[in-house]
Amino acid sequence: NEAVLHPEVAAKLMQEFSAPKSNEAMVEQLTAREMDVLRLIAKGKSNKEIADNLIVSEKTIKTHVSNILSKLHLADRTQVAIYALRQRLVPME
């Protein structure tokens, strides 16, 4: 299964990659489980897919996503994916 990006998301990704990097939060703030969730978000997985993959509830994943957004000072899942790619936390396929 390949994730297909909506054209607006793809445009946002391109804009983010061409923009100068800001002082981004340190990934070391994340727990090991939050890193697992971050990597799966970057691979385009939904909360349900992540929950199924990690064998936890979807509510637990929502909590992890909220923690990731807060710790990294990001606004949404797209920014999480961009952060993960920029930090080379997931391979670019």
Side-chain angles (χ1 to χ4, degrees), residues 7-62:
E8 289 178 14
V9 174
K12 189 172 181 180
L13 279 169
M14 294 308 296
Q15 181 182 25
E16 289 292 326
F17 274 110
S18 63
K21 291 184 182 179
S22 61
N23 290 336
E24 295 180 29
M26 302 299 274
V27 72
E28 289 83 20
Q29 296 179 57
L30 301 179
T31 66
R33 181 54 70 158
E34 289 166 350
M35 285 296 298
D36 293 339
V37 173
L38 178 142
R39 287 184 180 105
L40 291 168
I41 289 171
K43 290 181 178 183
K45 302 294 182 188
S46 69
N47 284 352
K48 180 168 180 6
E49 290 171 321
I50 296 169
D52 292 346
N53 185 289
L54 299 179
I55 312 170
V56 297
S57 73
E58 197 170 342
K59 183 178 178 185
T60 298
I61 297 305
K62 288 179 183 180

Side-chain angles (χ1 to χ4, degrees), residues 2 4 7 19 31-32 34 42 46 49 52 55 69 72-73 83-84 92:
E2 290 188 25
V4 178
T31 66
E34 289 166 350
S46 69
E49 290 171 321
D52 292 346
I55 312 170
L69 293 172
L72 299 180
H73 307 288
Y83 177 86
M92 294 179 79

